[in-house]
Amino acid sequence: MCAGRIDEYGYLADGRSGALVGRDGSVDWWCPSRFDAPSVFGRLLGDDGGHWWIRPAGEYQVERSYLDDTLVLRTVFSTEEGSVAVTDALALDAEARGHDIGRSPPGLFLRLVEGLSGHVPMVMSYAPRFEYGRVRAYLEPHGETSIARATGSTLGMTATVPVQHWETEATASFTVGPGQRETFSLSHSSTYHEREPMPVDVPAVLADTVEGWRSWLATHPYTGLYPDLVRRSALILEGLTYQRSGAVVAAATTSLPVRPEGHDNYDYRYVWLRDFSLTLRVLSVAACPVEAERLFRWIAEAIGDVGIEPIPIVLGVEGERDLSERELGVLTGHVAIGPVLLGNDAWRQRQQDALGQVLDAAWLLRERLEPMPDDVRRLLRSLTEQAADTWRLPDSGIWELRGEERHHVTSKVGCWMALDRAVRFGGVLGSAGDLKRWAAVRDEIRAAVLEQGWNPRVGAITDAFGSDRLDASVLILPLVGFIDAADPRMRATIGRIDQELTTDGLVRRWPGDSAGFVICSFWLVGCLALAGERDRATALFESLTKRSNDLGLFAEQIDLDTGEHLGNLPQAFSHIGLISAAWRLTAAATGRPTPVSTAI
């Protein structure tokens, strides 16, 4: 049995990892230790990856939703015999979050089955596969708990219904009547360092997890337009956060394809500086200043002393640098579209825009960095000098293109942003002579971008110096304060992208691309709002938000013909785009300033 469409999945999180649950009640992805750890359920990427499903034995229809203000998923199955609800959650990791919001140990999956009407026959299949499906462990019954051990990990699945064991799979058949409850829990621990799995009070821990999510959101009041959408996306970003460090991963999955031929299957379970200041900005918009400050301090520590070497543009969740990419031959890929990759060789690339991302983030948090720590000052000075010295170099660009480096416009703008923010800091970062020199280089970069990035034959700012190709990445120029959206050159660029790269509100990155890139579509919303086209921006925003799946989740891209989501899920970049576009519309409608000095 194959996994379903990417957009048929719901997302659960616990502060250190995430899980995907399909509409069929199957847990098809979970890497319990941390986001980039080996999976124990990997059916998402191939039938041999392992699964854990609970669902009606016969035909059924599905309605599902998150419990209000949580990442706790409730799926209602309706059958001819009656209806039943399955509530799924990862118990929040109180240790990782740093405060007491839960009574449970980390690595605990909760499943509660409740009869709503009639008597519904149910089936369960539990088939863990360690190390991305490489290892099938024997299941050993210990009372109500099924124990599986392999590769230094122990899984203990406890059920309140009778379970049959078939070496590497456990199954159950049971019937649920009105008001009847059956519970299932799955704990993950180290075989060598932690205690044996113990049964847990599933309803109590589930209620505690619900309260944990709601208490977090209650302390982060958002007061702009589209509050329900923004709150949902803020929850998803929180669910993509590795709480021990504060790092926000790009997505919870690896190798979900963006095109049928299977190219560009990448592992996104890492932290990109490309997303850094954008993440901080939306955390501020969503009233999450503590999370924003924590993320910045982690990034500053993880980068360390840069010197003359290129800044590391992607890191592991605990600051790891070497993320060498390799192909996993065990699994065939989502709907047999491979390859399945672990690691990401983008860590080897030069991406000049990352310099500006860090300086911009520091400027955003300037009040919370007073007085500025010496290590932060040294880092920011080092990045500023690197931008001044290397801005003329080609790089791999914001889209991490593999091949020949080019003079990407957005990379030059990233260097401009680094110098611009450094000059704004004034004497905090440099002497009068430093500031004068940085300002001169900043102005030189801006002049070069406007001269060499603008192509009069195309009538737009293009992707790279001397190029004639449109690229939606240049929509960020007015959003970071480089150029006014109403400037004739930018206005013409927005018009060309709107005309040539946009289909039914979905913006492709470049001509010939087969799918709309979600954040680019939200960038267009922001640009239209800044250009004074508020009605058009509002209509585009509302059409885009309707393209999420039924739970409000976005992957990276959306197929122009079918509307199917493509790429890793959930995608932080996409939800960052939604929040920032909502705030830009709020500012346009109310005249309220953004919470930071430059536009999102």
Side-chain angles (χ1 to χ4, degrees):
M1 181 179 294
C2 296
R5 287 171 38 147
I6 292 169
D7 46 18
E8 291 183 338
Y9 283 95
Y11 179 64
L12 312 177
D14 63 2
R16 66 176 185 174
S17 184
L20 266 60
V21 184
R23 290 177 62 85
D24 59 354
S26 183
V27 183
D28 287 346
W29 184 252
W30 190 32
C31 307
S33 299
R34 57 184 236 176
F35 287 103
D36 58 344
S39 65
V40 296
F41 300 127
R43 177 172 169 259
L44 180 72
L45 297 177
D47 287 346
D48 293 331
H51 65 265
W52 184 23
W53 72 61
I54 301 174
R55 58 178 177 241
E59 294 184 358
Y60 55 83
Q61 295 181 335
V62 172
E63 291 185 5
R64 59 183 183 166
S65 62
Y66 285 115
L67 301 188
D68 290 345
D69 294 340
T70 76
L71 289 184
V72 175
L73 178 63
R74 186 173 190 265
T75 304
V76 175
F77 295 98
S78 298
T79 73
E80 291 184 355
E81 295 89 353
S83 60
V84 62
V86 178
T87 301
D88 291 318
L90 288 176
L92 285 172
D93 184 350
E95 175 188 355
R97 294 174 64 89
H99 48 87
D100 185 14
I101 60 169
R103 293 187 288 262
S104 62
L108 180 61
F109 204 117
L110 308 169
R111 312 198 76 175
L112 172 64
V113 181
E114 299 177 278
L116 302 178
S117 65
H119 290 79
V120 182
M122 302 289 292
V123 291
M124 182 212 70
S125 173
Y126 168 66
R129 301 288 183 261
F130 294 81
E131 291 280 349
Y132 301 106
R134 286 193 181 100
V135 180
R136 298 187 178 207
Y138 287 105
L139 299 179
E140 302 174 2
H142 289 263
E144 295 180 344
T145 302
S146 301
I147 303 293
R149 292 185 177 90
T151 65
S153 296
T154 297
L155 289 174
M157 193 276 291
T158 301
T160 57
V161 300
V163 174
Q164 291 183 297
H165 293 82
W166 310 92
E167 293 188 341
T168 62
E169 181 182 8
T171 62
S173 298
F174 58 101
T175 298
V176 179
Q180 181 181 346
R181 284 184 165 192
E182 302 293 350
T183 63
F184 302 79
S185 64
L186 176 61
S187 63
H188 171 269
S189 62
S190 168
T191 300
Y192 308 113
H193 303 295
E194 298 181 27
R195 64 181 184 270
E196 287 288 307
M198 298 291 291
V200 299
D201 185 340
V202 171
V205 179
L206 187 61
D208 205 37
T209 295
V210 169
E211 176 58 27
W213 283 115
R214 289 175 176 168
S215 64
W216 177 83
L217 200 55
T219 62
H220 300 79
Y222 167 77
T223 58
L225 299 177
Y226 306 103
D228 291 344
L229 296 173
V230 169
R231 287 159 67 88
R232 171 58 52 202
S233 286
L235 276 171
I236 292 165
L237 290 178
E238 179 71 357
L240 290 170
T241 301
Y242 184 73
Q243 294 293 344
R244 286 188 170 93
S245 66
V248 180
V249 297
T253 56
T254 178
S255 305
L256 293 182
V258 296
R259 47 181 59 92
E261 58 270 28
H263 299 306
D264 301 336
N265 289 7
Y266 296 125
D267 192 346
Y268 274 12
R269 299 172 295 166
Y270 306 111
V271 186
W272 266 259
L273 294 193
R274 174 197 64 197
D275 309 354
F276 182 43
S277 69
L278 295 172
T279 305
L280 286 175
R281 288 184 182 283
V282 300
L283 287 174
S284 297
V285 164
C288 308
V290 173
E291 287 81 355
E293 180 182 4
R294 189 163 173 240
L295 175 58
F296 177 82
R297 291 190 177 278
W298 175 79
I299 286 286
E301 179 180 333
I303 293 174
D305 183 15
V306 177
I308 62 173
E309 295 298 319
I311 186 174
I313 59 95
V314 59
L315 299 161
V317 294
E318 294 183 354
E320 298 88 348
R321 300 287 186 93
D322 188 343
L323 306 177
S324 295
E325 191 172 290
R326 63 194 186 278
E327 184 171 344
L328 179 70
V330 179
L331 300 175
T332 59
H334 182 74
V335 294
I337 299 175
V340 174
L341 299 177
L342 307 178
N344 196 306
D345 275 345
W347 75 277
R348 305 177 190 274
Q349 293 184 343
R350 177 189 295 275
Q351 290 184 26
Q352 298 288 80
D353 67 291
L355 301 167
Q357 302 291 1
V358 180
L359 266 295
D360 186 55
W363 178 249
L364 169 70
L365 295 173
R366 59 194 180 278
E367 294 181 359
R368 302 182 71 90
L369 294 174
E370 293 181 357
M372 184 177 287
D374 288 340
D375 60 335
V376 173
R377 180 182 292 104
R378 288 194 298 269
L379 171 65
L380 298 183
R381 278 189 57 87
S382 177
L383 297 180
T384 303
E385 294 291 0
Q386 189 173 127
D389 293 342
T390 66
W391 74 268
R392 293 181 180 86
L393 295 177
D395 73 346
S396 299
I398 192 172
W399 304 129
E400 298 171 2
L401 301 178
R402 302 190 178 190
E404 183 180 358
E405 294 181 334
R406 303 173 68 217
H407 292 278
H408 295 96
V409 165
T410 52
S411 299
K412 309 302 183 187
V413 171
C415 292
W416 171 90
M417 188 162 57
L419 292 156
D420 178 74
R421 303 320 187 248
V423 170
R424 294 188 190 200
F425 271 116
V428 174
L429 284 190
S431 65
D434 291 328
L435 299 176
K436 182 177 180 180
R437 176 168 51 88
W438 293 341
V441 180
R442 175 198 62 189
D443 296 343
E444 183 182 1
I445 295 173
R446 187 172 191 275
V449 169
L450 294 179
E451 178 184 351
Q452 299 180 60
W454 169 260
N455 187 318
R457 297 189 307 277
V458 177
I461 298 170
T462 57
D463 66 333
F465 285 4
S467 172
D468 59 1
R469 188 171 81 158
L470 287 174
D471 189 315
S473 68
V474 301
L475 291 172
I476 70 170
L477 271 58
L479 304 182
V480 300
F482 178 83
I483 188 174
D484 195 294
D487 181 284
R489 291 161 294 190
M490 193 66 223
R491 195 66 192 86
T493 301
I494 295 170
R496 289 298 304 276
I497 290 173
D498 193 13
Q499 179 181 4
E500 297 191 22
L501 297 184
T502 305
T503 302
D504 294 332
L506 294 173
V507 180
R508 293 170 290 153
R509 284 181 289 178
W510 46 68
D513 214 359
S514 59
F517 208 85
V518 175
I519 196 170
C520 292
S521 306
F522 283 121
W523 283 345
L524 179 57
V525 172
C527 286
L528 291 172
L530 284 171
E533 296 189 38
R534 197 177 83 198
D535 291 344
R536 175 92 197 288
T538 298
L540 177 57
F541 177 85
E542 293 179 354
S543 71
L544 287 170
T545 57
K546 292 176 182 177
R547 291 182 176 272
S548 71
N549 77 353
D550 57 325
L551 297 172
L553 302 181
F554 281 101
E556 182 180 48
Q557 302 184 44
I558 298 176
D559 187 278
L560 297 177
D561 296 324
T562 66
E564 183 175 349
H565 286 228
L566 306 169
N568 288 300
L569 178 86
Q571 183 80 203
F573 223 20
S574 300
H575 291 278
I576 287 167
L578 184 151
I579 295 174
S580 59
W583 186 258
R584 175 50 54 196
L585 290 171
T586 299
T590 64
R592 293 162 57 181
T594 60
V596 291
S597 61
T598 55
I600 297 170

